[in-house]
Amino acid sequence: MLQAVVLGVIQGLTEFLPISSSAHLRIFPELFGWGDPGAAFTAVIQIGTELAVLIYFRKDILRIASMWLRSLVKPELRGHLDARMGWFIIIGSLPIVVLGVLLKDVIEKDFRNLWVIAILLIVMGLVLGAADRFGRSDKEIKQMTLRDAVLMGGAQALALVPGVSRSGATLSMGRALGYDREAATRYAFLLAIPAVVGAGAFELRKIGEPVAAGETDYGWGPTVVATVVSFVVGYAAIAWLLRYVSTRSYTPFVLYRVVLGTATLVLLGVGVLHA
């Protein structure tokens, strides 16, 4: 239960930043000697932080859903931003759904290798830094096109590999396409809702089942505790974190990713961590 609380706190603090919560849930339990919590546990407790997003963005979500549904029967509403945003979120979610199904076994095994995670923390951190540094910042969310939604959805799909970061990949693509930080951040959070909730619901059936060698069997009790803790911590942090990420440079997160990735490689090299 104590481990579950710690992992819930880690999830709540890292989900909304472009530093990869799944990488933290893989690295730190290994560092503490707790073993790999597994892909199912990681996916399920992310539902907690996504519930915080649903509550925080509830007005936006209800407005978008309402307009999208009305536009299905009223053609004159189909050009409205909220109606288009509904389609953008649906279509932008398809890449991660398709790849998640096709690569399920690889995601749960090979992609959780700490060498892979450490390298991607560094590489994708540098990509985020370059996109933020050279992005034009001349597009607002109302200027989003279907092409841009698909490209950002494709970037989000890269987060199937721990170490990439769902928000980090989407933000990098958004900034590269010229969207300002507020627009890229808002779309990244809305786009993540179907992917995270869907993945968590899909993996629920595995909680309580025998786990693979090297994974820790948390079972239902600790998993529920970690999910609740991640919700509470995430909800408490989300307003500040969204405001920070939307308006300031991503440089601190880039540096953090490079340091964490490098430290993980060193610890792997000297045998403190095991891939």
Side-chain angles (χ1 to χ4, degrees):
M1 283 296 184
L2 177 60
Q3 293 177 19
V5 170
V6 173
L7 295 178
V9 171
I10 291 174
Q11 167 63 24
L13 290 175
T14 59
E15 174 65 22
F16 306 119
L17 298 177
I19 57 177
S20 181
S21 62
S22 56
H24 284 72
L25 290 174
R26 178 69 182 91
I27 293 170
F28 284 93
E30 192 71 41
L31 187 62
F32 298 153
W34 299 345
D36 184 358
F41 176 86
T42 300
V44 171
I45 72 168
Q46 288 177 342
I47 293 177
T49 42
E50 211 55 38
L51 179 58
V53 175
L54 286 169
I55 294 175
Y56 187 86
F57 283 113
R58 62 190 181 279
K59 293 181 180 179
D60 296 44
I61 294 168
L62 289 173
R63 190 185 67 248
I64 290 170
S66 174
M67 183 60 69
W68 179 78
L69 289 171
R70 289 163 56 201
S71 73
L72 296 178
V73 295
K74 295 183 178 181
E76 65 272 17
L77 297 178
R78 292 173 186 170
H80 193 282
L81 174 62
D82 288 334
R84 292 188 292 115
M85 188 59 62
W87 283 115
F88 292 161
I89 292 170
I90 293 170
I91 296 172
S93 299
L94 293 179
I96 198 169
V97 172
V98 173
L99 291 177
V101 171
L102 293 177
L103 302 176
K104 184 175 76 70
D105 292 338
V106 180
I107 293 166
E108 294 178 353
K109 297 175 183 177
D110 299 346
F111 285 174
R112 296 185 67 78
N113 184 284
L114 283 177
W115 288 102
V116 174
I117 292 172
I119 292 171
L120 284 174
L121 277 170
I122 298 170
V123 172
M124 294 305 295
L126 296 176
V127 169
L128 174 64
D132 189 44
R133 173 67 178 82
F134 299 108
R136 298 190 308 274
S137 298
D138 58 0
K139 290 183 183 179
E140 300 177 358
I141 199 165
K142 63 183 179 182
Q143 296 172 273
M144 183 165 289
T145 64
L146 179 59
R147 184 206 68 154
D148 293 349
V150 171
L151 288 173
M152 293 172 75
Q156 177 185 242
L158 297 175
L160 290 167
V161 187
V164 171
S165 170
R166 189 176 0 264
S167 62
T170 312
L171 290 173
S172 295
M173 180 59 75
R175 296 290 290 129
L177 292 171
Y179 288 93
D180 61 36
R181 294 191 185 99
E182 181 179 359
T185 302
R186 182 165 292 271
Y187 182 67
F189 277 79
L190 292 173
L191 183 63
I193 293 171
V196 174
V197 174
F202 181 78
E203 295 290 351
L204 269 174
R205 59 190 173 84
K206 296 183 180 179
I207 301 300
E209 294 183 354
V211 299
E215 293 185 2
T216 302
D217 185 4
Y218 281 98
W220 276 104
T223 301
V224 171
V225 168
T227 303
V228 172
V229 171
S230 73
F231 164 74
V232 173
V233 175
Y235 190 80
I238 190 170
W240 179 84
L241 294 175
L242 275 172
R243 191 161 53 245
Y244 183 95
V245 173
S246 297
T247 59
R248 300 190 186 183
S249 166
Y250 300 148
T251 300
F253 307 117
V254 174
L255 295 175
Y256 175 80
R257 290 180 64 110
V258 171
V259 170
L260 179 61
T262 303
T264 301
L265 290 175
V266 170
L267 292 175
L268 284 167
V270 299
V272 173
L273 292 177
H274 301 283

